[in-house]
Amino acid sequence: MSQVRVRFAPSPTGFFHIGSARTALFNWLYARHTGGKFVLRIEDTDKERNSDEYLEVIYSSLRWLGMDWDEGPEIGGDFGPYRQSERDGIYQDYIEKLKAADRLYEKEGAWWFRISGEPQIIEDQIRGRVERTEEKDFVVVRSNGSPVFHLVNVVDDITMGITHVIRGEDHLSNTSKHTELLKALGAPLPTFAHIPLILRQDGPGKMSKRDQGALVEEYQKRGYLPESVVNFLCLLGWNPKDDQEKMPIAEIISRFDFPGVNQSNARFDERKMAHLNMSYLLELPSNDFLAKARDFFAATPKHAAIMSSVSEDYFAAVMEISQPKIKAVEELPAYISYFCSDEFPWNPKALKKTFKKGEPLARLAELKDLLAGQDSLNDETAVEDAMKAMAESNGNGFGDYQAIARLSVTGTNAGPGITQIFRVLGKDSVVERMERFLASPPEIPA
Ligand code: GLU
């Protein structure tokens, strides 16, 4: 079989959303799986609605996600140019071919394509056999001389040697027009594969660009890892037979094929994405995590100020204990606020819960004295052992001390391990915060 050539053909008329990214990805995966070529073609004939800004976002998002193209804008190739706005001469040739074959006629200034009216049979790799019959001639060149989408799309697929058309199911209804045109031009039909739609997280209907979580760029800005976003996108409509979810890209490439693509629509699930991101974050070497966190903080002045309010070593230590706890880097500024300032808010729920039973202030006073008596809090095991021994000799449990300790030094009831927090904050700061809490405890909400 000849080499597979697939294309991703976006129109730069809006920000790059996950539906487009997923279409790009399935094409890219198929090319990489088969050792074929992944072509990027820009369908920018609609001058009014295209913008260079959108185009740049397409390029940068594809690169961020690791989808390198083998031919296309910025890198060229043997079948260029790769922007439709630069291919008018080619379209004119094909319009002439259709005229010569007596398949075009002029009506009211536009050129119409004379359909065959024969049933068009598409052996879709995902949908199975689809049959449709075009019933009406359609315009292929508008009265202003510009060729329509159906024509340029088909001409490009022919002239770029595209073997497989992998695109969203919303294009299935166009395919019979395309096969009519392909046949009229004497071109072989490519293999079609129409991928299922992505449904919005809540409620019915297709996910739109306006839905929360729809833009690829957002994930980049929020400090998501591209490998987790790619992994998530793969699972929107494809799954390997063993239902495994987290997979490195090399494994996805080797396993990806059309039989694994579902016919039913895929539902977008932001929690699943966050969960996947968390498990990728966990695996990241701590230096890489630190570098990502630094980039994220540096990108926003407010966050950059938090980072520069502490030493580099201290920031690194805070990152090390936060890494296993967060779902995305974007959570870090709020998550670590108490490490970087003595002014942190009291979480009302945590306050209420901690003061619900027992005598938390008495326990805190005992713990504060214990910690104040240590040389340092650097040895987490020693601190934990000392706390346990004290709890036992006072007839209490370790848990009686933990929640109030955490509350008094962090303002909340979740976070890294308590002895990790002690170690990183250091003895002076921990004891001082506990003293302050004891001297003037915050008001407990009713
Ligand atoms: N420009 C079309 C789109 O954005 C591409 C259609 C196709 O892949 O054939 O949907």
Side-chain angles (χ1 to χ4, degrees), residues 70 72 154-155 171 226 236 242 303 404:
D70 303 308
V154 161
V155 168
H171 284 290
L236 285 174
D242 58 8
H303 301 154
I404 186 64

Side-chain angles (χ1 to χ4, degrees), residues 7-13 17 20 23 27 41-44 84 149 153-154 157 165-168 170-171 174 178 192 194:
R7 84 299 194 276
F8 173 52
S11 305
T13 53
H17 59 102
S20 299
T23 299
N27 276 282
R41 174 171 89 220
I42 304 300
E43 303 212 323
D44 59 350
Q84 289 185 333
F149 160 72
N153 184 270
V154 161
D157 285 344
V165 170
I166 306 169
R167 60 186 174 191
D170 46 331
H171 284 290
N174 294 325
H178 297 182
F192 288 97
H194 286 90

